[in-house]
Amino acid sequence: MNNKTTTKSSSSNNTTTAISSLERRLFQSLRDEQNCSTKEFQEAWAFCNKVRGLCGNQSFDVVIDVAGGHGALAALFLILTKSVKTAVAIDPAQVGSVQQAWGSCFTTEKRLQFRHKDLRTGLPSELENWLSVKVVPSHRILVVACHACQHSSEETLTIAQSHGVASAVMPCCQVDPTHSWKRLSKTLEMDVGLVMDLLLAGRCVPSLSSSQSQQQATTRKASQTSTNYTIRMKLLDSKITPQNELFSVVQMTTKKKKNLMRKKNTAHKHIYQKAHVLRPAKRQSSFWKKVDAASLVVGVAIGALVSSSLLLTLLTPRK
């Protein structure tokens, strides 16, 4: 028993050492080639591993990184995620590539690609290419944006959901244009950035009932817009970055959707019955339960007759 425990512990330590060694080697090679900062690499490393922890290591075939720069985050998904075969970095700026620094870490079947376009044109066209031309299932595609500003994060999620694919973002530079949420966050003593992130996450969950009316859609795009999603949130180490709220938006499985709908319908039925149907009738005494209508009428008639005879007797003068 002790030998098994020692072997297991030794194996775990070896794995941790190997991961730390890989992390160190990747950072050193990237720093030498691209002059990458420690914070930038740590954010990308932590982001990639959190998403893998949330979604699994075999969940996606294609990863598209918005505002991907030199492609470090996209490349990390290629290196660390077994199932990912292609990673695409979308960015209008041409700032070099991690291919030279990390190219030896890719297997021959894994590819890092770049598309030098902006978010609004590059992401939709790239998704259409994978969905229509290369016919990759929508649930096997992941769109990521690490430390994109609030507006870019929101547009990234909107475009990803309109195509029915999964996404994971970690917004920064959150602002409240209406100022109402900012005032509320002060009242509740909450960080306004966290409040805006929660609002953004809430908009990613369409109503289950609204999607049912769209189930008859025949076109691919119409059916994708009716996809239901589930939100999962994680926090990165605040020592790496203070704006550390990461949330993934993944498709809800049919089984989970049915379970949620069943729970929702049961709750509605219970509330309705409690309010309108199951109100107990007023309790009656056991005596009135035993008396029927006919007996009641006969009793009243006899009582009236006796009362009348007594009244006549009292009113009749005595001789």
Side-chain angles (χ1 to χ4, degrees), residues 39 42-44 46-51 54 145-148 153 168-174 191-195 197-198 232-248:
K39 180 177 182 296
Q42 287 180 340
E43 285 177 353
F47 182 96
C48 179
N49 282 297
K50 287 292 184 183
V51 173
L54 287 169
C146 180
H147 263 187
S153 297
V169 300
M170 188 171 69
C172 68
C173 308
Q174 298 91 336
D191 178 63
V192 67
L194 175 59
V195 173
D197 286 348
L198 292 175
R232 300 172 183 172
M233 299 194 71
K234 285 285 186 179
L235 297 178
L236 268 66
D237 188 348
S238 58
K239 294 180 181 178
I240 298 175
T241 173
Q243 295 173 318
N244 59 347
E245 294 91 24
L246 179 153
F247 58 90
S248 66

Short mmCIF file of all heavy atoms in Angstrom, two decimals, residues 39 42-44 46-51 54 145-148 153 168-174 191-195 197-198 232-248:
data_model
loop_
_atom_site.label_atom_id
_atom_site.label_comp_id
_atom_site.label_asym_id
_atom_site.label_seq_id
_atom_site.Cartn_x
_atom_site.Cartn_y
_atom_site.Cartn_z
N LYS A 39 4.78 39.16 -17.36
CA LYS A 39 3.34 39.29 -17.13
C LYS A 39 2.55 38.81 -18.35
O LYS A 39 1.55 38.09 -18.20
CB LYS A 39 2.99 40.74 -16.83
CG LYS A 39 1.51 41.00 -16.56
CD LYS A 39 1.27 42.45 -16.20
CE LYS A 39 -0.21 42.72 -15.88
NZ LYS A 39 -1.08 42.50 -17.04
N GLN A 42 2.74 34.98 -18.47
CA GLN A 42 2.00 34.36 -17.37
C GLN A 42 0.49 34.46 -17.59
O GLN A 42 -0.25 33.52 -17.26
CB GLN A 42 2.40 35.01 -16.04
CG GLN A 42 3.77 34.62 -15.55
CD GLN A 42 4.13 35.28 -14.23
OE1 GLN A 42 3.54 36.30 -13.85
NE2 GLN A 42 5.09 34.71 -13.52
N GLU A 43 0.02 35.59 -18.11
CA GLU A 43 -1.42 35.73 -18.40
C GLU A 43 -1.86 34.70 -19.43
O GLU A 43 -2.89 34.04 -19.25
CB GLU A 43 -1.71 37.14 -18.91
CG GLU A 43 -1.70 38.21 -17.84
CD GLU A 43 -1.93 39.59 -18.40
OE1 GLU A 43 -1.97 39.72 -19.65
OE2 GLU A 43 -2.08 40.54 -17.62
N ALA A 44 -1.11 34.59 -20.51
CA ALA A 44 -1.47 33.65 -21.58
C ALA A 44 -1.42 32.21 -21.06
O ALA A 44 -2.32 31.40 -21.35
CB ALA A 44 -0.53 33.82 -22.77
N ALA A 46 -1.71 31.12 -17.87
CA ALA A 46 -2.79 30.88 -16.91
C ALA A 46 -4.15 30.84 -17.61
O ALA A 46 -5.00 30.01 -17.28
CB ALA A 46 -2.78 31.98 -15.84
N PHE A 47 -4.36 31.72 -18.57
CA PHE A 47 -5.64 31.75 -19.32
C PHE A 47 -5.86 30.42 -20.03
O PHE A 47 -6.94 29.81 -19.93
CB PHE A 47 -5.60 32.89 -20.33
CG PHE A 47 -6.88 33.06 -21.13
CD1 PHE A 47 -7.84 33.98 -20.73
CD2 PHE A 47 -7.10 32.32 -22.28
CE1 PHE A 47 -9.01 34.14 -21.46
CE2 PHE A 47 -8.26 32.47 -23.02
CZ PHE A 47 -9.22 33.38 -22.60
N CYS A 48 -4.85 29.95 -20.74
CA CYS A 48 -4.97 28.70 -21.49
C CYS A 48 -5.28 27.53 -20.56
O CYS A 48 -6.18 26.72 -20.84
CB CYS A 48 -3.68 28.44 -22.26
SG CYS A 48 -3.68 26.90 -23.20
N ASN A 49 -4.60 27.45 -19.44
CA ASN A 49 -4.82 26.33 -18.52
C ASN A 49 -6.16 26.40 -17.81
O ASN A 49 -6.78 25.37 -17.54
CB ASN A 49 -3.68 26.27 -17.50
CG ASN A 49 -2.41 25.66 -18.08
OD1 ASN A 49 -2.39 24.51 -18.47
ND2 ASN A 49 -1.36 26.45 -18.16
N LYS A 50 -6.65 27.60 -17.51
CA LYS A 50 -7.98 27.74 -16.91
C LYS A 50 -9.06 27.29 -17.89
O LYS A 50 -10.01 26.60 -17.51
CB LYS A 50 -8.22 29.18 -16.49
CG LYS A 50 -7.46 29.63 -15.25
CD LYS A 50 -7.94 28.93 -13.99
CE LYS A 50 -7.23 29.45 -12.76
NZ LYS A 50 -7.64 28.73 -11.52
N VAL A 51 -8.92 27.68 -19.15
CA VAL A 51 -9.91 27.28 -20.16
C VAL A 51 -9.87 25.77 -20.35
O VAL A 51 -10.92 25.11 -20.46
CB VAL A 51 -9.66 28.01 -21.49
CG1 VAL A 51 -10.58 27.47 -22.58
CG2 VAL A 51 -9.88 29.51 -21.33
N LEU A 54 -11.72 24.24 -17.55
CA LEU A 54 -13.17 24.41 -17.63
C LEU A 54 -13.80 23.55 -18.71
O LEU A 54 -14.88 22.99 -18.53
CB LEU A 54 -13.50 25.89 -17.90
CG LEU A 54 -13.30 26.87 -16.73
CD1 LEU A 54 -13.40 28.30 -17.23
CD2 LEU A 54 -14.32 26.61 -15.64
N ALA A 145 -10.39 35.48 -26.24
CA ALA A 145 -9.89 36.87 -26.20
C ALA A 145 -9.38 37.13 -24.80
O ALA A 145 -10.17 37.21 -23.85
CB ALA A 145 -10.99 37.85 -26.58
N CYS A 146 -8.08 37.25 -24.65
CA CYS A 146 -7.47 37.46 -23.33
C CYS A 146 -7.09 38.92 -23.18
O CYS A 146 -6.29 39.45 -23.95
CB CYS A 146 -6.23 36.57 -23.19
SG CYS A 146 -5.37 36.75 -21.60
N HIS A 147 -7.70 39.56 -22.19
CA HIS A 147 -7.47 40.97 -21.90
C HIS A 147 -7.83 41.88 -23.08
O HIS A 147 -7.15 42.86 -23.35
CB HIS A 147 -6.04 41.21 -21.46
CG HIS A 147 -5.92 41.24 -19.97
ND1 HIS A 147 -4.76 41.58 -19.32
CD2 HIS A 147 -6.82 40.99 -19.00
CE1 HIS A 147 -4.95 41.52 -18.01
NE2 HIS A 147 -6.19 41.16 -17.80
N ALA A 148 -8.92 41.54 -23.75
CA ALA A 148 -9.50 42.46 -24.72
C ALA A 148 -10.37 43.45 -23.95
O ALA A 148 -10.94 43.10 -22.91
CB ALA A 148 -10.34 41.71 -25.75
N SER A 153 -14.48 42.53 -26.12
CA SER A 153 -14.96 41.27 -25.54
C SER A 153 -16.43 41.04 -25.86
O SER A 153 -16.84 39.93 -26.20
CB SER A 153 -14.74 41.28 -24.02
OG SER A 153 -13.38 41.36 -23.68
N ALA A 168 -14.32 32.05 -24.90
CA ALA A 168 -13.79 32.29 -23.56
C ALA A 168 -13.09 33.64 -23.59
O ALA A 168 -12.24 33.89 -24.45
CB ALA A 168 -12.81 31.19 -23.16
N VAL A 169 -13.46 34.52 -22.66
CA VAL A 169 -12.89 35.87 -22.64
C VAL A 169 -12.49 36.25 -21.22
O VAL A 169 -13.02 35.73 -20.25
CB VAL A 169 -13.89 36.92 -23.19
CG1 VAL A 169 -14.28 36.61 -24.62
CG2 VAL A 169 -15.13 37.00 -22.31
N MET A 170 -11.53 37.17 -21.14
CA MET A 170 -11.16 37.78 -19.87
C MET A 170 -11.06 39.29 -20.13
O MET A 170 -10.02 39.80 -20.53
CB MET A 170 -9.83 37.23 -19.35
CG MET A 170 -9.48 37.69 -17.93
SD MET A 170 -8.05 36.83 -17.24
CE MET A 170 -6.72 37.47 -18.26
N PRO A 171 -12.17 40.00 -19.92
CA PRO A 171 -12.22 41.42 -20.30
C PRO A 171 -11.33 42.30 -19.43
O PRO A 171 -10.97 41.94 -18.30
CB PRO A 171 -13.70 41.79 -20.11
CG PRO A 171 -14.43 40.49 -20.01
CD PRO A 171 -13.46 39.53 -19.42
N CYS A 172 -11.01 43.47 -19.95
CA CYS A 172 -10.32 44.49 -19.17
C CYS A 172 -10.88 45.85 -19.57
O CYS A 172 -11.71 45.95 -20.48
CB CYS A 172 -8.81 44.44 -19.40
SG CYS A 172 -8.29 44.93 -21.05
N CYS A 173 -10.44 46.89 -18.86
CA CYS A 173 -10.87 48.27 -19.18
C CYS A 173 -12.39 48.39 -19.19
O CYS A 173 -12.97 48.99 -20.10
CB CYS A 173 -10.30 48.74 -20.52
SG CYS A 173 -8.51 48.54 -20.66
N GLN A 174 -13.04 47.81 -18.17
CA GLN A 174 -14.50 47.85 -18.12
C GLN A 174 -14.99 49.27 -17.80
O GLN A 174 -14.42 49.94 -16.94
CB GLN A 174 -15.04 46.89 -17.05
CG GLN A 174 -14.70 45.43 -17.31
CD GLN A 174 -13.40 44.99 -16.66
OE1 GLN A 174 -12.52 45.81 -16.39
NE2 GLN A 174 -13.26 43.70 -16.41
N ASP A 191 -16.53 45.95 -6.92
CA ASP A 191 -15.73 46.51 -8.00
C ASP A 191 -16.59 46.63 -9.25
O ASP A 191 -17.26 45.68 -9.66
CB ASP A 191 -14.52 45.62 -8.28
CG ASP A 191 -13.68 46.15 -9.43
OD1 ASP A 191 -13.14 47.26 -9.30
OD2 ASP A 191 -13.57 45.45 -10.45
N VAL A 192 -16.57 47.80 -9.90
CA VAL A 192 -17.42 48.01 -11.06
C VAL A 192 -17.01 47.09 -12.22
O VAL A 192 -17.85 46.68 -13.03
CB VAL A 192 -17.38 49.49 -11.50
CG1 VAL A 192 -15.99 49.87 -12.02
CG2 VAL A 192 -18.44 49.79 -12.55
N GLY A 193 -15.73 46.75 -12.27
CA GLY A 193 -15.28 45.82 -13.32
C GLY A 193 -15.93 44.46 -13.18
O GLY A 193 -16.35 43.85 -14.17
N LEU A 194 -16.05 43.97 -11.95
CA LEU A 194 -16.71 42.70 -11.71
C LEU A 194 -18.19 42.78 -12.06
O LEU A 194 -18.74 41.85 -12.66
CB LEU A 194 -16.54 42.30 -10.24
CG LEU A 194 -17.29 41.04 -9.79
CD1 LEU A 194 -16.85 39.83 -10.59
CD2 LEU A 194 -17.07 40.80 -8.30
N VAL A 195 -18.83 43.89 -11.71
CA VAL A 195 -20.25 44.07 -12.03
C VAL A 195 -20.46 44.04 -13.55
O VAL A 195 -21.37 43.36 -14.05
CB VAL A 195 -20.78 45.40 -11.45
CG1 VAL A 195 -22.21 45.66 -11.93
CG2 VAL A 195 -20.75 45.35 -9.93
N ASP A 197 -18.54 42.66 -15.80
CA ASP A 197 -18.26 41.31 -16.31
C ASP A 197 -19.45 40.38 -16.08
O ASP A 197 -19.80 39.56 -16.94
CB ASP A 197 -17.02 40.73 -15.62
CG ASP A 197 -15.74 41.36 -16.13
OD1 ASP A 197 -15.79 42.07 -17.16
OD2 ASP A 197 -14.68 41.16 -15.49
N LEU A 198 -20.09 40.50 -14.91
CA LEU A 198 -21.26 39.66 -14.62
C LEU A 198 -22.42 40.01 -15.55
O LEU A 198 -23.16 39.13 -16.01
CB LEU A 198 -21.68 39.84 -13.16
CG LEU A 198 -20.71 39.28 -12.11
CD1 LEU A 198 -21.18 39.63 -10.71
CD2 LEU A 198 -20.57 37.77 -12.25
N ARG A 232 -19.39 29.36 -17.39
CA ARG A 232 -18.53 28.89 -16.30
C ARG A 232 -17.47 29.96 -16.04
O ARG A 232 -16.85 30.46 -16.99
CB ARG A 232 -17.85 27.57 -16.68
CG ARG A 232 -18.84 26.45 -16.99
CD ARG A 232 -18.13 25.23 -17.52
NE ARG A 232 -19.06 24.19 -17.90
CZ ARG A 232 -18.70 23.07 -18.53
NH1 ARG A 232 -17.44 22.85 -18.84
NH2 ARG A 232 -19.61 22.17 -18.85
N MET A 233 -17.29 30.32 -14.78
CA MET A 233 -16.38 31.40 -14.44
C MET A 233 -15.24 30.90 -13.56
O MET A 233 -15.43 30.02 -12.72
CB MET A 233 -17.12 32.54 -13.75
CG MET A 233 -18.21 33.17 -14.59
SD MET A 233 -18.81 34.74 -13.94
CE MET A 233 -17.40 35.80 -14.27
N LYS A 234 -14.06 31.48 -13.78
CA LYS A 234 -12.89 31.19 -12.98
C LYS A 234 -12.12 32.49 -12.76
O LYS A 234 -12.24 33.45 -13.53
CB LYS A 234 -11.98 30.18 -13.69
CG LYS A 234 -12.49 28.75 -13.68
CD LYS A 234 -12.31 28.10 -12.31
CE LYS A 234 -12.66 26.63 -12.33
NZ LYS A 234 -12.47 25.99 -11.02
N LEU A 235 -11.32 32.51 -11.72
CA LEU A 235 -10.46 33.65 -11.44
C LEU A 235 -9.00 33.25 -11.62
O LEU A 235 -8.57 32.21 -11.12
CB LEU A 235 -10.67 34.16 -10.01
CG LEU A 235 -12.07 34.70 -9.66
CD1 LEU A 235 -12.11 35.11 -8.19
CD2 LEU A 235 -12.45 35.87 -10.55
N LEU A 236 -8.26 34.07 -12.34
CA LEU A 236 -6.82 33.87 -12.42
C LEU A 236 -6.18 34.41 -11.14
O LEU A 236 -6.81 35.16 -10.39
CB LEU A 236 -6.25 34.60 -13.63
CG LEU A 236 -6.15 33.78 -14.92
CD1 LEU A 236 -7.55 33.44 -15.44
CD2 LEU A 236 -5.37 34.54 -15.99
N ASP A 237 -4.97 34.02 -10.91
CA ASP A 237 -4.23 34.50 -9.74
C ASP A 237 -4.12 36.02 -9.82
O ASP A 237 -3.63 36.57 -10.82
CB ASP A 237 -2.84 33.86 -9.71
CG ASP A 237 -2.09 34.16 -8.43
OD1 ASP A 237 -2.53 35.03 -7.66
OD2 ASP A 237 -1.04 33.52 -8.20
N SER A 238 -4.58 36.70 -8.78
CA SER A 238 -4.56 38.16 -8.79
C SER A 238 -3.14 38.72 -8.79
O SER A 238 -2.94 39.90 -9.11
CB SER A 238 -5.31 38.71 -7.56
OG SER A 238 -4.75 38.22 -6.36
N LYS A 239 -2.15 37.90 -8.46
CA LYS A 239 -0.76 38.35 -8.52
C LYS A 239 -0.30 38.50 -9.97
O LYS A 239 0.62 39.27 -10.26
CB LYS A 239 0.15 37.35 -7.79
CG LYS A 239 -0.10 37.28 -6.29
CD LYS A 239 0.82 36.28 -5.63
CE LYS A 239 0.56 36.20 -4.12
NZ LYS A 239 1.42 35.18 -3.46
N ILE A 240 -0.96 37.76 -10.87
CA ILE A 240 -0.62 37.87 -12.29
C ILE A 240 -1.29 39.10 -12.90
O ILE A 240 -0.67 39.88 -13.61
CB ILE A 240 -1.06 36.60 -13.05
CG1 ILE A 240 -0.31 35.38 -12.51
CG2 ILE A 240 -0.82 36.75 -14.54
CD1 ILE A 240 -0.77 34.07 -13.13
N THR A 241 -2.58 39.26 -12.61
CA THR A 241 -3.33 40.40 -13.12
C THR A 241 -4.50 40.68 -12.20
O THR A 241 -5.18 39.75 -11.76
CB THR A 241 -3.84 40.16 -14.56
OG1 THR A 241 -4.69 41.23 -14.95
CG2 THR A 241 -4.60 38.85 -14.66
N PRO A 242 -4.79 41.95 -11.90
CA PRO A 242 -5.94 42.25 -11.05
C PRO A 242 -7.27 42.10 -11.78
O PRO A 242 -8.29 41.86 -11.15
CB PRO A 242 -5.69 43.72 -10.65
CG PRO A 242 -4.85 44.27 -11.75
CD PRO A 242 -4.00 43.14 -12.22
N GLN A 243 -7.27 42.23 -13.09
CA GLN A 243 -8.49 42.03 -13.88
C GLN A 243 -8.51 40.57 -14.33
O GLN A 243 -8.10 40.24 -15.44
CB GLN A 243 -8.52 43.00 -15.06
CG GLN A 243 -8.61 44.46 -14.61
CD GLN A 243 -8.48 45.43 -15.76
OE1 GLN A 243 -7.65 45.25 -16.64
NE2 GLN A 243 -9.31 46.46 -15.76
N ASN A 244 -8.99 39.73 -13.44
CA ASN A 244 -8.75 38.30 -13.59
C ASN A 244 -10.02 37.48 -13.71
O ASN A 244 -10.01 36.27 -13.47
CB ASN A 244 -7.93 37.79 -12.39
CG ASN A 244 -8.63 38.04 -11.06
OD1 ASN A 244 -9.59 38.78 -10.98
ND2 ASN A 244 -8.15 37.39 -10.01
N GLU A 245 -11.15 38.10 -14.07
CA GLU A 245 -12.40 37.33 -14.22
C GLU A 245 -12.45 36.71 -15.62
O GLU A 245 -12.62 37.42 -16.61
CB GLU A 245 -13.63 38.21 -14.00
CG GLU A 245 -13.78 38.73 -12.59
CD GLU A 245 -13.10 40.06 -12.39
OE1 GLU A 245 -12.93 40.77 -13.39
OE2 GLU A 245 -12.74 40.40 -11.24
N LEU A 246 -12.30 35.41 -15.67
CA LEU A 246 -12.38 34.68 -16.94
C LEU A 246 -13.68 33.89 -16.96
O LEU A 246 -14.03 33.25 -15.98
CB LEU A 246 -11.19 33.75 -17.08
CG LEU A 246 -11.10 32.86 -18.32
CD1 LEU A 246 -9.63 32.55 -18.61
CD2 LEU A 246 -11.85 31.54 -18.18
N PHE A 247 -14.41 33.97 -18.06
CA PHE A 247 -15.58 33.09 -18.17
C PHE A 247 -15.65 32.48 -19.56
O PHE A 247 -15.32 33.11 -20.56
CB PHE A 247 -16.88 33.82 -17.81
CG PHE A 247 -17.20 35.04 -18.61
CD1 PHE A 247 -17.94 34.96 -19.78
CD2 PHE A 247 -16.79 36.29 -18.18
CE1 PHE A 247 -18.25 36.09 -20.50
CE2 PHE A 247 -17.10 37.43 -18.89
CZ PHE A 247 -17.83 37.33 -20.07
N SER A 248 -16.01 31.23 -19.57
CA SER A 248 -16.17 30.49 -20.83
C SER A 248 -17.65 30.34 -21.13
O SER A 248 -18.47 30.21 -20.23
CB SER A 248 -15.50 29.12 -20.74
OG SER A 248 -16.17 28.30 -19.80
#
